[in-house]
Amino acid sequence: MIGRGLINRAVATFVAAGAGFVAMVALGATVFYLLALVVVPLAAAAITSAIFAVIALIVALVFVRRAQGEDEEEDYEPEGLGMRAFHLFRQRPVLGTVAALAGGWIFLRNPALATMVAAAFTEKSRPRRR
């Protein structure tokens, strides 16, 4: 049944949006109460709203920029390991963050591997032969 799957997806989307909203309200309250310990409550409210306004502006700019430049980046293939990692972070930030955390864990377990990867990142890429 096509309708049931669509309804399930819509419900899941609304539940996720509601959970995100509750998390943002809780984060805002936490920031407010932490700032209220340092400054007067009126200033804490103003600083908290300014912080969230800046975050909203950054998110909006990222999505607008991604929507405008989406066609241009499809043909772009980064050269070198460093540019590939940067491209991964720009295209898929969650996947890039998970990869960075996994890489950090591996580097903590094996420091020799960290030096090899650092050498690969700092190495200049050679021009391609045709």
Side-chain angles (χ1 to χ4, degrees):
M1 302 180 94
I2 296 173
R4 177 172 268 171
L6 184 62
I7 291 173
N8 287 341
R9 286 184 188 174
V11 168
T13 302
F14 288 130
V15 168
F21 177 74
V22 170
M24 290 306 291
V25 169
L27 179 64
T30 303
V31 169
F32 170 76
Y33 285 116
L34 285 176
L35 287 172
L37 294 173
V38 180
V39 296
V40 295
L42 187 61
I47 293 170
T48 301
S49 67
I51 289 171
F52 278 87
V54 168
I55 291 171
L57 180 67
I58 290 171
V59 168
L61 289 176
V62 166
F63 280 107
V64 166
R65 187 171 158 202
R66 183 177 284 176
Q68 288 176 351
E70 195 169 312
D71 296 334
E72 299 169 1
E73 294 180 8
E74 288 180 12
D75 297 333
Y76 174 70
E77 187 170 321
E79 294 182 19
L81 189 58
M83 287 303 293
R84 285 184 184 166
F86 178 72
H87 190 67
L88 174 69
F89 276 105
R90 284 190 67 211
Q91 293 297 320
R92 293 179 171 77
V94 174
L95 180 64
T97 304
V98 170
L101 290 173
W105 174 256
I106 291 170
F107 293 155
L108 287 174
R109 304 288 289 170
N110 189 354
L113 182 62
T115 51
M116 288 189 305
V117 171
F121 272 102
T122 57
E123 180 180 302
K124 293 183 178 179
S125 61
R126 298 180 202 127
R128 294 183 180 175
R129 293 185 180 183
R130 294 187 177 192

